[in-house]
Amino acid sequence: MYRNRLLITEEQIQHRVRELAEDLNKEYRGKSLDIVSVLKGAMIFTSDLIRLLEMDVRIHFLQALSYSSGTESSETVNLHFTSVFDIRDCDVLLVEDILDTGITLDYLVKHLKENAPGSIRICVLLDKPDRRKLNIQADYVGFQIPDDFVIGYGLDYLEYGRQLKYIGVLDRSEYEK
Ligand code: XMP
Ligand code: MG
């Protein structure tokens, strides 16, 4: 496991996920919600969140490949769909692990809007506002965090660290070698 220091505890995450679910349960009460979860980083957040939702939900996955190296953002996004899904006139919630420069989510929202959803909102576990390059905000944010590279609770460094129950800041010595 790459060295990291604790930033957000398991208890803090679970508490905040419950609060987010309560907000969503109010917002979408009596409706049917199409969740579009971005692999791989959002998988754990998504699976904890959906089990607290009370409305009807359908889950879809897509994979957005935007990171060419370990910690540096690339400016192009490649999309892979695990299955074809129709979101025309549906209420869509895009669930992502982290909003960083905004390039990935901006691209995804534009792409999904081409499929004429009834509504589309963004839910992210983490938000790094200092890093934003595009003017995009999430409707639901778990935690705002400083500009540090984090791992855990689905987020990885070179594919490791997703299994951590907490979120930790990656030790700089791991990538400034
Ligand atoms: P952008 O810059 O497009 O980035 O908003 C979003 C994607 O970049 C990844 N990302 C991170 N992954 N720790 C991670 O494990 C981080 O601190 C981090 N910052 C950005 C993430 O995959 C996200 O989907
Ligand atoms: Mg990643």
Side-chain angles (χ1 to χ4, degrees):
M1 179 63 68
Y2 290 106
R3 278 192 300 276
N4 64 87
R5 71 175 159 79
L6 178 65
L7 181 67
I8 308 172
T9 66
E10 179 183 0
E11 290 72 26
Q12 287 173 311
I13 296 170
Q14 295 304 331
H15 182 258
R16 188 70 188 116
V17 172
R18 276 197 298 277
E19 289 180 337
L20 290 172
E22 282 168 19
D23 291 347
L24 291 166
N25 283 331
K26 282 189 199 129
E27 182 66 38
Y28 294 98
R29 182 177 317 216
K31 295 185 173 170
S32 173
L33 185 60
D34 278 78
I35 291 186
V36 178
S37 173
V38 187
L39 293 172
K40 302 173 195 172
M43 62 171 182
I44 294 177
F45 176 42
T46 304
S47 58
D48 279 349
L49 185 68
I50 58 173
R51 284 177 289 173
L52 299 168
L53 296 181
E54 291 161 0
M55 76 295 285
D56 286 336
V57 293
R58 299 193 298 185
I59 318 292
H60 315 282
F61 290 103
L62 50 79
Q63 187 160 20
L65 303 172
S66 63
Y67 260 61
S68 43
S69 73
T71 61
E72 274 316 301
S73 204
S74 86
E75 308 248 324
T76 54
V77 182
N78 286 308
L79 276 191
H80 295 268
F81 294 87
T82 55
S83 64
V84 177
F85 48 87
D86 185 7
I87 53 167
R88 179 172 294 274
D89 297 329
C90 295
D91 291 314
V92 173
L93 185 70
L94 187 53
V95 178
E96 171 65 309
D97 54 359
I98 186 166
L99 177 52
D100 188 10
T101 63
I103 292 168
T104 306
L105 275 171
D106 182 72
Y107 181 90
L108 290 177
V109 168
K110 282 184 180 141
H111 177 87
L112 291 172
K113 278 188 175 165
E114 285 171 14
N115 295 280
S119 70
I120 178 159
R121 290 202 177 94
I122 298 172
C123 175
V124 293
L125 176 68
L126 304 174
D127 181 15
K128 279 186 196 172
D130 297 344
R131 292 255 306 168
R132 205 76 88 253
K133 287 187 184 162
L134 297 180
N135 180 22
I136 178 166
Q137 284 166 11
D139 302 281
Y140 300 91
V141 175
F143 303 91
Q144 287 203 341
I145 62 166
D147 177 14
D148 289 313
F149 197 85
V150 292
I151 59 172
Y153 197 67
L155 291 103
D156 71 300
Y157 176 59
L158 303 178
E159 294 298 329
Y160 288 99
R162 298 191 198 276
Q163 83 229 52
L164 295 175
K165 294 192 174 82
Y166 61 89
I167 289 170
V169 173
L170 184 68
D171 194 313
R172 281 189 176 269
S173 66
E174 296 287 7
Y175 58 93
E176 285 180 350
K177 281 175 181 158

